[in-house]
Amino acid sequence: MSTKDLHSLGHGLSANKSWIPKIIKKRVCTTFVENASSNGALCQCGGSRDAHGSVALGDYFGTAIVNRWDSAQHSSEYPTDAFGEIQFAGASKRHSYFLRLSWDTPPSMVYTLMTAHWGLPSPNLVVSVVGGEGKTKVKTWVREVIRQGLVKASQSTGAWILTAGLREGVGRCVGEAVRDHATAASSVSLNKVVALGIASWGLVHNREQLVNPQGSFPAKYYISNAAGDSCCLDNNYQAFLLVDDGSVVNKGGETGFRAKLEDYISHQRTGSGSIDIPVLCMLVSGDASMLERVDLSLKNSMPWLVLAGSGGMADFLSDVLENLSSVPVVQSSSEVDGEVAPSVDLKDRMAERVKKYFPLETETDKLVERALSIYQNKDFITIYHGEQEGPNDFDTVLLKALVRASKQRASVDASPYNEELNLAVTWNRVDIAKSELFNGDILWRYRDLEDSMTDALVNDKPQFVRLFTENGLNILDYLTYGRLESLYRSVADGTLLYQLLQRRLVERLGTAGPTYSPSSVSGVLELLLGDVCQPFYFDALDLHMITSKRRALRLLRGDCFYRDRRCLYPWASLFIWAVLQNRSEMATLFWEMAGESVLSALSGCKILRELSKLEVETETKLSMKELAQRFENLAHDVFGSCYRSNESRSFTLLIRKSPVWGGTTCLQMGMGADARLFFSHDGVQSLLSQIWWGDMKRNTEVWKHILTFFCPFLCYTNLISFSEDGPGRDSDSLYGTTVFSFSDIKHMPPKRPFIVSRWRQFWFAPVTSFLGNVLMYFLFLLLFAYVLLVDFKPPPPSGPAVTEYVLYFWVFTIVCEEIRETFFVGTKTLRQRFRVYIQDVWNKCDLTAITLFIIGLICRMFEWSYGFGRDVLCVDYMVFTLRLIHIFAIHKQLGPKIIIVGKMMKDVFFFLFFLVIWLMAYGVANQALIYAYDPHLDRIFRRVFYRPYLHIFGQIPVEEMDVGKDWDMPCTDNVTLINDGAEPCRTLYSNWLVVILLVIYLLVTNILLINLLIAMFSSTFSEVQAHSDVYWKFQRYNLIVQYHSRPSLAPPFIILSHINLFIKRVIRKVPSVKIHHFVLQLRGKAANRLTTWETIQKEDFLTAQSKIQKSSDSERLKRMSAKVDGVLKHLSESRDFDHRLRALESEMEYCSSALSWIVDTLAQSSTFKPPRAPPTLRGICHQILIEKKN
């Protein structure tokens, strides 16, 4: 059965798991092969004669035709009867998976079962620990290597560790280490280590507890002391594969399946899909039978890591590979099976070491052949001296072992370091990449880094992204629109961005899918950024011309003209991509790389705050808000650095129109992002103040301004001081005529006469427009009140009065101004302008007031609706009066109070919710207890709702509610009279309950709820008052923008300004200047100079922050720890040199003694007469020899 069939079958029968026995088999010995040592009672599989259906032929004849048991010939397959989940009695509540399977089960089927149905995460690394089994005690340093080295490195990479999974030897050490690391892991983001046990079914103790043909969910497994060769399963493993070869006594039944599974996994892709899953076999001690296992894996190019000094086979291989490596392999002329045979000298040396390490083995020739085969593949083996090197850098050892093997498999065209780079990226080990790969010794090409860059981006590894961009990867060549699409396609399912992209795709094409064009991303950004900026990617890709669904579908299905184009602003596009996924470190990195740092930070803040409103997960919502605040702080700090460097350039920065961010400015984006902290900066407020006052001095008193307003010719006197350097400033200055419009910077108006220029300086200042509107608005309210109270005439023909006609005209001019402000201000589309207008609360108030006025005006013109129209106008007067509150937003003390009142209104709604509940509960019960029958709805509503509400303020009609008091109201108990409208009499017998309910009601409302409301008010007041300065600075921006764009004259005289504008715009076609308020268009060198200056200021800020961080105590401790680790490493190396010197010294002593013995022997010999005396030691050598002898 194929893997695809397994997927479909598993999904179809996932409820009961009954599909597992249909595809997974077990092995049962069906042919009896006599075990010679059991006197014919037992088979070589370990089972009794009665348990077998047939007997081998050799037992009926005297000749042993069959004398060796073979699983393939003497066992048969049956549906497995042991699978499901296992619960260890007395251990944790966590269940482990287990499966009994035949040794020839396809590994693809088992791997799919583990990942797709058991839910084990796909590994980034597989370490298969071989050897170290049995009752032999594991050495202490081997335990430390497993605990501090192997498991810790596996945890950082997300690895699988394969062992026998039994409670003995190395398997037990691995299980305990995995358990301890999982317990100590404080973050859920750490990669989980999966411990997988692959053992022989026949050697598992208490295996009968796992047998259940229908599956065990879970099976109770009791751990006990095992006798003989069997051993219990370890409860610290996540899954067990119990390989069945039909025997119950033979060891090594799982070896072949384990090797095939390792080979299959090595050809699968990692979770990120960038490389094949690296598989490494680690040999710990082991007996002679391990030679076959090692040789089999090496022929499949499987890398091995040998722990030298752990004993057994590991010591044998380390000795062979290290001490025989200097001996050349001289090939003989004979060839065996197509392979060149090694020299006789190498065989002899190998045979000596085999006899040395395995003296009890009889078949030494086979062991030598295996050892020679292993020696020929020695490049795939790495020797690790764990006792000397320690477990600290074990992850580096694993990486180098894998890379060493991958270099042998690498193609000629491929870079030998690509595999090492891919592994480092997969494991997220940027420290290894820096020290081993990007240390200046390797010249990296763009194509070598391209795939790794994509892997780092998709899997959120910002340190590697920075490393690649610093070492040869050109982001302009890398990021095309096609690759940007692939990055958006990699967004995980279920995330908020995925849902938004799918929704946009459905809206645009009517169907969902995995393909996201730039238009889909643009739609999401339009949803989040609103009307602050123009759509993204449309102009660059000419997508605004695509309107039909057919063309859009063709665009998405591959017939795309834009995908090979370079992205115009790559860092900004990547920044948006990272922010939309709430990737903090990645977004910060791209913000550092991108230009226009202040605007980019504010844009990220805006996007994240809008995303947080749509996010439903509380933790994700909080992280989005925190990251948004972080970007707002960055914008505030970087702009502060710019403002300290150059005030005028920093002002240009605030109003510069950005081509990257859809033609918006920092001020517009900051307002959209609700960036109060940014607007509270002194630089922003200085710009706003200068715009507000125009060319007038900021310290001008209000009375002087009002006096000049009513006597305009005073502006030519010295009553008000004006700045002298207005239009005649140099080109670096940003002001002069910019108090009217910053677009005038490029087009300086001609110098006007003093009379005209001073007149314009006074009347065109926003503060003058504001003052005129305030004064005229007060006059408007007085006129409105006069009409309502004194001069409100009957309908025509008797009325209206002249004053009322004046009031109508005044409101008409207000309506004209609202229309101009809504549809004729700004450069956006009409829909965008209306949406921006309607979002403001005070504009909604204006619309309400105007609508009510029109309704009242129409109704008062007719006799039948005259009274209703007057009532509507009375209510409308209240709305117009409340609109006056907005005017005081400019005041430093009153402005925050307006915000406090607005927030308290929200508190009042919550209070009213609780109050209505109590009021209704008490009102209905009180009415029913006092009056037995009263069908009139008007009295019911008054006594159920209105009267209990008055109780809160102390208006309690005691005579009516307390029957002990006299009540002079005439009443009746006659139902007919009551139905006719008579007052019903009170009920006497339940009056005591009315008094109790009144006491409880007053207690709850007057004490509990009122104090709750006061507490809520106090909290709101304290919250806003603590940041009152920030709130005031933020809200005055809208007011300044509004009055900066308004004509100088206030209603009703504003109609003259409207006529003037109509003549200029419609008849004379003169372009508007104020329509581009707070916007400056820079191009060419001016834009480049400003961007470069801003980048320099950002880099200076980041450098200063880095210095502050490095000077912190935590960073000092980290640096000190690194230095101490370096010193300890040097000490360990010097200790190694000391051991080697001592060994060399001992060898020299031996040589000296041997030579002395030879000299003495020859001197005493009578057959040989030397021609001269033997040489003597002189000088320091003689002294050293004497010291040694002493």
Side-chain angles (χ1 to χ4, degrees):
M1 181 176 289
S2 65
T3 303
K4 184 177 180 181
D5 296 335
L6 176 63
H7 270 290
S8 59
L9 182 61
H11 286 298
L13 300 172
S14 59
N16 52 18
K17 306 292 184 183
S18 61
W19 53 273
I20 292 181
K22 296 179 180 180
I23 59 175
I24 305 296
K25 307 298 179 181
K26 67 177 182 178
R27 283 255 173 202
V28 177
C29 181
T30 55
T31 304
F32 182 84
V33 179
E34 181 182 345
N35 188 347
S37 62
S38 65
N39 296 324
L42 297 177
C43 175
Q44 291 184 19
C45 72
S48 63
R49 180 186 291 268
D50 298 337
H52 296 74
S54 62
V55 180
L57 185 61
D59 291 332
Y60 290 103
F61 302 94
T63 308
I65 299 177
V66 179
N67 56 10
R68 185 177 181 85
W69 184 84
D70 182 74
S71 176
Q73 297 180 9
H74 302 136
S75 65
S76 302
E77 288 187 343
Y78 294 92
T80 183
D81 57 359
F83 62 93
E85 299 176 1
I86 180 173
Q87 181 181 7
F88 292 89
S92 62
K93 296 182 179 180
R94 179 182 59 83
H95 296 174
S96 302
Y97 300 99
F98 74 98
L99 175 67
R100 178 185 181 183
L101 69 161
S102 175
W103 56 268
D104 58 350
T105 303
S108 59
M109 189 180 299
V110 179
Y111 181 75
T112 304
L113 175 69
M114 291 189 293
T115 55
H117 301 284
W118 286 358
L120 300 182
S122 299
N124 292 323
L125 168 69
V126 174
V127 179
S128 180
V129 183
V130 180
E133 302 171 0
K135 309 296 182 182
T136 307
K137 185 178 180 180
V138 181
K139 295 182 179 180
T140 304
W141 69 267
V142 176
R143 288 178 176 270
E144 290 301 315
V145 167
I146 292 175
R147 177 183 297 274
Q148 300 296 333
L150 174 61
V151 177
K152 189 175 182 180
S154 301
Q155 192 174 39
S156 65
T157 56
W160 285 8
I161 301 180
L162 274 57
T163 69
L166 304 177
R167 290 176 60 85
E168 63 176 10
V170 173
R172 184 166 187 169
C173 296
V174 170
E176 293 174 350
V178 170
R179 176 200 62 196
D180 295 342
H181 277 277
T183 304
S186 58
S187 175
V188 294
S189 62
L190 290 176
N191 294 315
K192 185 179 180 181
V193 180
V194 174
L196 177 63
I198 304 178
S200 179
W201 166 260
L203 299 181
V204 176
H205 188 60
N206 292 336
R207 59 184 176 275
E208 62 276 358
Q209 299 174 7
L210 306 177
V211 176
N212 185 352
Q214 285 74 39
S216 302
F217 301 98
K220 284 277 189 178
Y221 185 79
Y222 294 89
I223 299 175
S224 59
N225 295 326
D229 294 331
S230 63
C231 187
C232 294
L233 299 176
D234 194 304
N235 62 298
N236 296 310
Y237 283 70
Q238 281 80 6
F240 298 94
L241 298 177
L242 307 178
V243 183
D244 191 2
D245 62 350
S247 71
V248 293
V249 294
N250 298 334
K251 291 185 177 181
E254 80 285 358
T255 302
F257 172 79
R258 184 170 172 177
K260 290 190 295 182
L261 180 63
E262 293 165 359
D263 182 65
Y264 175 79
I265 295 177
S266 67
H267 293 87
Q268 306 306 304
R269 307 294 283 182
T270 58
S272 60
S274 57
I275 60 172
D276 290 339
I277 299 175
V279 179
L280 175 70
C281 297
M282 189 173 80
L283 180 61
V284 181
S285 66
D287 53 17
S289 63
M290 288 295 170
L291 273 178
E292 181 180 1
R293 170 78 168 86
V294 175
D295 186 33
L296 180 63
S297 296
L298 288 176
K299 288 180 179 179
N300 293 326
S301 301
M302 192 71 66
W304 279 79
L305 179 66
V306 178
L307 262 64
S310 59
M313 180 59 64
D315 290 352
F316 167 73
L317 289 180
S318 62
D319 184 15
V320 168
L321 296 178
E322 289 181 339
N323 297 327
L324 292 185
S325 59
S326 60
V327 179
V329 182
V330 181
Q331 310 295 343
S332 64
S333 59
S334 62
E335 294 185 0
V336 181
D337 296 333
E339 295 182 359
V340 181
S343 66
V344 177
D345 182 57
L346 182 60
K347 285 186 177 180
D348 294 339
R349 289 173 175 268
M350 190 69 72
E352 291 177 2
R353 281 167 171 77
V354 169
K355 293 178 180 178
K356 175 183 176 182
Y357 285 95
F358 308 107
L360 301 180
E361 295 291 333
T362 57
E363 299 179 351
T364 57
D365 293 339
K366 290 185 177 180
L367 296 180
V368 170
E369 292 297 328
R370 293 284 185 187
L372 290 173
S373 176
I374 292 172
Y375 184 80
Q376 292 177 353
N377 294 308
K378 62 182 179 180
D379 292 331
F380 291 95
I381 302 177
T382 301
I383 307 299
Y384 175 63
H385 297 274
E387 189 174 11
Q388 300 175 7
E389 299 180 22
N392 294 329
D393 298 329
F394 194 76
D395 48 1
T396 308
V397 174
L398 292 178
L399 181 62
K400 290 182 177 180
L402 291 169
V403 171
R404 181 179 180 183
S406 65
K407 288 180 181 178
Q408 305 300 321
R409 299 191 296 258
S411 62
V412 179
D413 297 332
S415 172
Y417 300 99
N418 281 350
E419 192 71 18
E420 185 172 1
L421 177 61
N422 292 333
L423 288 172
V425 174
T426 303
W427 294 2
N428 198 20
R429 295 305 306 269
V430 70
D431 52 341
I432 296 177
K434 286 182 179 179
S435 60
E436 301 291 335
L437 302 175
F438 294 93
N439 51 11
D441 298 336
I442 306 172
L443 182 61
W444 290 97
R445 296 169 297 180
Y446 168 76
R447 65 178 184 179
D448 298 332
L449 302 176
E450 189 175 6
D451 293 337
S452 297
M453 179 70 169
T454 304
D455 187 11
L457 286 172
V458 171
N459 294 287
D460 194 16
K461 298 171 182 177
Q463 293 178 328
F464 274 101
V465 175
R466 184 189 296 272
L467 189 65
F468 295 152
T469 55
E470 292 174 352
N471 290 273
L473 189 138
N474 187 356
I475 195 65
L476 293 174
D477 295 331
Y478 172 79
L479 193 65
T480 60
Y481 286 105
R483 182 164 278 122
L484 186 62
E485 280 189 10
S486 66
L487 291 178
Y488 279 101
R489 285 196 298 270
S490 68
V491 175
D493 298 352
T495 59
L496 178 60
L497 176 59
Y498 178 82
Q499 296 172 4
L500 294 176
L501 288 171
Q502 287 289 326
R503 188 187 308 168
R504 176 62 182 173
L505 204 60
V506 171
E507 292 175 356
R508 183 173 177 82
L509 304 178
T511 179
T515 303
Y516 307 120
S517 66
S519 61
S520 301
V521 181
S522 177
V524 173
L525 292 177
E526 184 179 1
L527 172 66
L528 299 175
L529 294 176
D531 302 318
V532 177
C533 53
Q534 299 297 325
F536 284 78
Y537 306 125
F538 274 56
D539 293 336
L541 304 177
D542 300 328
L543 296 179
H544 60 281
M545 302 300 295
I546 300 176
T547 56
S548 65
K549 288 187 177 182
R550 179 178 298 179
R551 292 191 62 191
L553 283 171
R554 189 182 66 179
L555 177 73
L556 296 179
R557 288 174 179 170
D559 187 12
C560 301
F561 58 88
Y562 64 86
R563 285 180 176 161
D564 294 332
R565 291 187 185 179
R566 289 182 176 182
C567 192
L568 291 180
Y569 307 105
W571 290 121
S573 298
L574 290 175
F575 174 73
I576 294 173
W577 174 78
V579 167
L580 287 173
Q581 297 184 83
N582 193 29
R583 294 183 174 182
S584 175
E585 294 184 17
M586 190 77 79
T588 305
L589 168 64
F590 293 145
W591 173 80
E592 294 176 5
M593 297 293 186
E596 302 185 7
S597 53
V598 176
L599 181 55
S600 298
L602 292 173
S603 303
C605 177
K606 166 70 173 175
I607 294 173
L608 286 164
R609 283 179 175 161
E610 294 299 328
L611 284 173
S612 66
K613 298 176 183 177
L614 303 174
E615 182 61 55
V616 294
E617 296 291 337
T618 304
E619 186 176 352
T620 307
K621 182 190 293 285
L622 291 176
S623 65
M624 287 179 176
K625 290 182 178 179
E626 291 175 359
L627 185 57
Q629 188 59 48
R630 180 179 177 184
F631 279 124
E632 183 180 351
N633 294 338
L634 287 173
H636 176 273
D637 295 340
V638 173
F639 178 74
S641 178
C642 296
Y643 182 68
R644 289 188 295 270
S645 173
N646 191 307
E647 182 177 340
S648 61
R649 285 185 176 179
S650 65
F651 291 162
T652 308
L653 200 64
L654 293 176
I655 60 174
R656 181 262 319 267
K657 188 176 181 180
S658 169
V660 180
W661 291 96
T664 188
T665 66
C666 291
L667 292 179
Q668 293 172 353
M669 187 64 74
M671 176 56 61
D674 197 22
R676 294 187 178 92
L677 180 63
F678 176 75
F679 271 94
S680 67
H681 193 277
D682 292 341
V684 179
Q685 293 302 309
S686 179
L687 173 65
L688 295 178
S689 297
Q690 189 153 353
I691 296 172
W692 179 249
W693 287 98
D695 282 338
M696 288 183 287
K697 297 290 185 179
R698 299 186 192 180
N699 57 358
T700 303
E701 290 84 352
V702 178
W703 67 268
K704 294 182 180 180
H705 212 138
I706 296 176
L707 184 61
T708 309
F709 182 83
F710 288 105
C711 300
F713 295 102
L714 292 177
C715 66
Y716 299 106
T717 64
N718 293 327
L719 182 65
I720 296 180
S721 301
F722 293 87
S723 57
E724 297 299 329
D725 49 352
R729 301 184 185 188
D730 56 10
S731 59
D732 289 337
S733 177
L734 301 178
Y735 298 102
T737 58
T738 57
V739 292
F740 312 125
S741 172
F742 282 92
S743 60
D744 285 345
I745 297 175
K746 298 180 298 177
H747 309 287
M748 288 294 180
K751 193 169 182 180
R752 298 183 176 92
F754 172 76
I755 296 177
V756 178
S757 66
R758 180 56 56 89
W759 182 268
R760 292 174 61 88
Q761 284 177 328
F762 176 76
W763 287 102
F764 282 27
V767 65
T768 306
S769 177
F770 170 76
L771 185 61
N773 277 272
V774 170
L775 295 175
M776 298 307 295
Y777 198 79
F778 275 109
L779 293 177
F780 166 74
L781 292 178
L782 291 175
L783 176 62
F784 202 165
Y786 175 80
V787 169
L788 288 177
L789 298 176
V790 178
D791 206 11
F792 199 81
K793 301 294 184 180
S798 301
V802 176
T803 54
E804 194 169 349
Y805 281 116
V806 174
L807 178 65
Y808 296 162
F809 177 74
W810 203 315
V811 174
F812 170 74
T813 58
I814 293 176
V815 172
C816 292
E817 175 57 22
E818 294 296 325
I819 294 174
R820 187 203 65 82
E821 185 179 339
T822 306
F823 299 105
F824 299 99
V825 174
T827 58
K828 302 173 184 175
T829 62
L830 292 178
R831 182 174 61 91
Q832 289 177 329
R833 294 173 188 171
F834 182 73
R835 284 200 304 190
V836 171
Y837 175 84
I838 204 66
Q839 287 174 358
D840 187 79
V841 177
W842 297 110
N843 288 336
K844 294 177 183 177
C845 183
D846 290 337
L847 286 178
T848 304
I850 293 170
T851 303
L852 290 176
F853 190 88
I854 294 173
I855 295 173
L857 171 62
I858 295 174
C859 292
R860 68 97 57 224
M861 293 298 177
F862 302 98
E863 188 69 33
W864 58 273
S865 59
Y866 169 79
F868 177 75
R870 189 176 186 279
D871 296 340
V872 171
L873 290 175
C874 291
V875 175
D876 189 38
Y877 179 80
M878 293 182 59
V879 179
F880 272 114
T881 306
L882 292 176
R883 181 65 174 82
L884 193 64
I885 297 177
H886 178 52
I887 296 175
F888 298 105
I890 198 66
H891 197 272
K892 190 171 184 178
Q893 279 72 36
L894 294 178
K897 302 302 185 292
I898 298 174
I899 298 175
I900 292 175
V901 171
K903 289 183 175 293
M904 285 182 175
M905 292 300 295
K906 297 179 183 179
D907 297 337
V908 168
F909 283 112
F910 288 107
F911 167 77
L912 289 178
F913 172 75
F914 294 107
L915 180 62
V916 167
I917 293 176
W918 271 100
L919 191 143
M920 181 180 295
Y922 168 74
V924 173
N926 182 70
Q927 173 69 9
L929 289 172
I930 295 179
Y931 302 101
Y933 178 73
D934 188 0
H936 291 277
L937 294 180
D938 58 338
R939 285 202 297 254
I940 290 176
F941 278 104
R942 286 177 179 272
R943 289 170 177 173
V944 170
F945 294 103
Y946 182 59
R947 186 170 62 185
Y949 177 74
L950 294 179
H951 289 355
I952 301 175
F953 304 99
Q955 296 187 19
I956 304 173
V958 181
E959 295 82 4
E960 181 181 356
M961 302 183 63
D962 189 359
V963 295
K965 301 287 185 179
D966 294 331
W967 191 31
D968 56 359
M969 175 68 69
C971 62
T972 180
D973 292 327
N974 191 324
V975 176
T976 304
L977 296 177
I978 293 175
N979 288 331
D980 292 337
E983 179 72 24
C985 292
R986 298 172 295 174
T987 304
L988 302 180
Y989 65 88
S990 58
N991 189 254
W992 61 274
L993 189 56
V994 173
V995 177
I996 294 176
L997 291 180
L998 175 63
V999 173
I1000 296 175
Y1001 172 74
L1002 294 177
L1003 180 67
V1004 172
T1005 55
N1006 284 19
I1007 296 178
L1008 180 62
L1009 294 182
I1010 296 299
N1011 281 281
L1012 174 63
L1013 181 63
I1014 294 173
M1016 294 168 66
F1017 284 172
S1018 300
S1019 175
T1020 302
F1021 182 84
S1022 301
E1023 178 186 352
V1024 178
Q1025 190 67 21
H1027 305 89
S1028 59
D1029 188 61
V1030 175
Y1031 279 96
W1032 170 73
K1033 290 178 178 178
F1034 177 71
Q1035 70 178 3
R1036 73 191 288 249
Y1037 168 77
N1038 277 333
L1039 195 68
I1040 293 175
V1041 170
Q1042 178 182 353
Y1043 285 97
H1044 173 267
S1045 62
R1046 275 199 173 190
S1048 302
L1049 298 177
F1053 306 107
I1054 199 172
I1055 193 65
L1056 300 177
S1057 299
H1058 291 163
I1059 295 173
N1060 181 39
L1061 289 175
F1062 178 80
I1063 295 173
K1064 282 186 176 180
R1065 306 292 175 259
V1066 179
I1067 299 176
R1068 297 176 58 192
K1069 304 295 183 182
V1070 177
S1072 173
V1073 175
K1074 285 193 174 183
I1075 194 173
H1076 302 283
H1077 58 259
F1078 295 83
V1079 175
L1080 173 63
Q1081 183 74 46
L1082 291 181
R1083 293 187 178 89
K1085 293 183 179 179
N1088 293 335
R1089 282 198 299 265
L1090 185 64
T1091 303
T1092 304
W1093 173 77
E1094 182 185 6
T1095 303
I1096 293 174
Q1097 300 307 315
K1098 176 189 65 178
E1099 293 174 353
D1100 293 342
F1101 165 75
L1102 293 176
T1103 303
Q1105 291 295 314
S1106 178
K1107 289 181 179 179
I1108 294 173
Q1109 185 178 3
K1110 288 181 180 180
S1111 62
S1112 63
D1113 294 338
S1114 59
E1115 289 297 323
R1116 289 181 179 179
L1117 289 174
K1118 287 181 181 179
R1119 291 197 298 270
M1120 182 64 68
S1121 175
K1123 291 179 180 178
V1124 171
D1125 290 341
V1127 172
L1128 292 176
K1129 188 175 182 179
H1130 287 302
L1131 287 176
S1132 62
E1133 292 177 355
S1134 63
R1135 193 179 297 112
D1136 183 32
F1137 291 147
D1138 184 55
H1139 288 314
R1140 293 169 62 184
L1141 288 175
R1142 289 180 184 275
L1144 182 61
E1145 185 179 358
S1146 63
E1147 291 181 2
M1148 291 295 296
E1149 288 181 358
Y1150 170 76
C1151 293
S1152 177
S1153 300
L1155 289 174
S1156 299
W1157 178 81
I1158 294 173
V1159 170
D1160 292 342
T1161 303
L1162 292 176
Q1164 295 176 3
S1165 176
S1166 59
T1167 59
F1168 177 75
K1169 298 294 183 179
R1172 58 183 179 84
T1176 60
L1177 296 176
R1178 298 177 181 177
I1180 187 168
C1181 295
H1182 181 62
Q1183 294 178 5
I1184 293 175
L1185 185 61
I1186 294 175
E1187 291 176 358
K1188 287 184 178 180
K1189 288 182 178 180
N1190 295 333

